[in-house]
Amino acid sequence: MTASFHGPPVEAATPNAAISALRANGLRVSAARRLVLEALYAADGPVSADDIAKGLNGRLPPSDLSSVYRNLETLEHVGLVDHVHLGHGPGLYAVAGPQRGWAVCETCERHIALEPQALEKLSAAVRRLIGFDARFSHFPIVGRCGDCLAEPAT
Amino acid sequence: MTASFHGPPVEAATPNAAISALRANGLRVSAARRLVLEALYAADGPVSADDIAKGLNGRLPPSDLSSVYRNLETLEHVGLVDHVHLGHGPGLYAVAGPQRGWAVCETCERHIALEPQALEKLSAAVRRLIGFDARFSHFPIVGRCGDCLAEPAT
DNA sequence: TTCGATGCAAATAGTTTGCATTCTA
DNA sequence: TAGAATGCAAACTATTTGCATCGAA
């Protein structure tokens, strides 16, 4: 069984920086691997393995889905990539970075990236209350957003 | 597509109370439905549909998996049941009750039910910080628990 | 007696694995 | 040229759906 949770993030600002990080980890740089990275950097938010395999709707060349999964796993293991479950759909992948927290509204289904300061304060609250060093990067905070709270209930 | 999130909880202390709630909602009380409820009340924590179909390891008679799923969906719709995703495995179901929050340690994989007061304070913190009315019942807080924080890192 | 619920089988979504082939280092 | 990574097919897990039959109200 593969581990559910991964190691510390490795920040790389560009695909090329990520490729250097791959080499530094003794990993080979193949066309397929390069493409996964390009897709992740080109996407404007977390994307599914399937999105990547389909070349982000044709913006990039398509690739084999199982290779995409294998590469995502490798990249995640190295710490270059993170994955989130924002709901019941497929897991979503993104380049690892300082922003590592999500909230999703169960009413409007919008998903919101948490601001670093909010994230830090939330973590502090969690540590104080339950003695936990919390991440909100793997599963989001689920609830009702401000806009939906203001509206008449459904 | 079925809704990811459900309605308000209906608390029933016993299988019989739950059965009354079913009748009150115009639902029929079949043997299969009764069994799902019995399993949920007999379990000492959240269980998978498969666990229920297998009669909790033989403690109860087995039932058909698809019926179990259908019944869980119905029971959840009525508000008698909740489901959580505590990790990458199957969804886990439990009788709806006042306790509606979870935390899971990514190191020791233990899962912890949140105390009502901690839950309330956490929700208050989340509301203050991101204007969100948070539930921690569908996805847990993921992080490192106190015990694992104390130990030398893996 | 009706129509909601069941049980079986088959379909589906997401993800993983086996294996011969390809290509990076 | 060694062995890491690929691409295809097949397996697998979790869940859903179609449909003829059954049984609760």
Side-chain angles (χ1 to χ4, degrees):
Chain A
M1 197 166 291
T2 27
S4 296
F5 307 110
H6 52 69
V10 172
E11 284 183 43
T14 62
N16 282 342
I19 285 171
S20 301
L22 283 183
R23 291 222 171 83
N25 277 271
L27 292 165
R28 295 189 179 175
V29 180
S30 65
R33 199 160 271 170
R34 211 181 280 269
L35 251 164
V36 169
L37 284 171
E38 271 178 47
L40 291 171
Y41 279 89
D44 65 342
V47 290
S48 70
D50 198 60
D51 291 335
I52 297 171
K54 288 182 173 136
L56 299 184
N57 239 12
R59 288 165 56 197
L60 291 170
S63 35
D64 180 70
L65 185 55
S66 66
S67 295
V68 170
Y69 272 113
R70 273 192 277 233
N71 280 321
L72 287 170
E73 193 187 353
T74 300
L75 294 169
E76 188 155 15
H77 186 249
V78 169
L80 284 165
V81 163
D82 258 341
H83 85 273
V84 221
H85 298 276
L86 294 183
H88 281 168
L92 301 179
Y93 297 81
V95 171
Q99 189 280 305
R100 306 185 102 214
W102 298 94
V104 355
C105 176
E106 65 190 348
T107 301
C108 66
E109 312 223 343
R110 209 170 356 159
H111 52 261
I112 295 150
L114 300 183
E115 304 285 336
Q117 329 107 291
L119 202 48
E120 205 169 306
K121 285 181 182 168
L122 269 177
S123 295
V126 172
R127 185 166 325 186
R128 182 164 29 81
L129 289 164
I130 61 169
F132 236 69
D133 184 28
R135 292 166 40 200
F136 294 97
S137 52
H138 188 72
F139 287 134
I141 292 175
V142 173
R144 234 170 158 221
C145 72
D147 292 357
C148 290
L149 284 170
E151 278 170 34
T154 315
Chain B
M1 198 166 292
T2 27
S4 296
F5 307 108
H6 52 69
V10 172
E11 284 182 44
T14 62
N16 282 342
I19 284 171
S20 302
L22 283 184
R23 291 223 171 81
N25 279 269
L27 292 166
R28 292 188 183 176
V29 179
S30 65
R33 198 160 274 169
R34 213 182 277 267
L35 252 164
V36 168
L37 284 171
E38 271 178 47
L40 291 171
Y41 279 89
D44 64 343
V47 289
S48 70
D50 197 59
D51 291 336
I52 298 171
K54 288 183 172 135
L56 298 183
N57 239 14
R59 289 165 56 197
L60 292 170
S63 35
D64 179 70
L65 185 55
S66 65
S67 295
V68 170
Y69 273 112
R70 274 192 277 234
N71 280 322
L72 287 170
E73 192 186 354
T74 301
L75 294 169
E76 188 155 15
H77 186 247
V78 168
L80 284 165
V81 164
D82 258 341
H83 85 274
V84 221
H85 298 276
L86 295 184
H88 281 169
L92 301 179
Y93 297 80
V95 172
Q99 190 280 306
R100 307 185 103 217
W102 299 95
V104 355
C105 177
E106 64 191 347
T107 301
C108 67
E109 312 224 344
R110 210 173 352 164
H111 52 261
I112 295 150
L114 300 182
E115 305 284 336
Q117 330 105 289
L119 202 48
E120 206 170 302
K121 286 181 183 168
L122 269 177
S123 295
V126 173
R127 185 167 326 188
R128 182 163 30 80
L129 289 164
I130 61 168
F132 235 68
D133 185 27
R135 292 166 41 201
F136 295 97
S137 52
H138 188 73
F139 288 132
I141 292 175
V142 173
R144 233 168 159 223
C145 73
D147 293 357
C148 289
L149 284 171
E151 279 171 34
T154 314

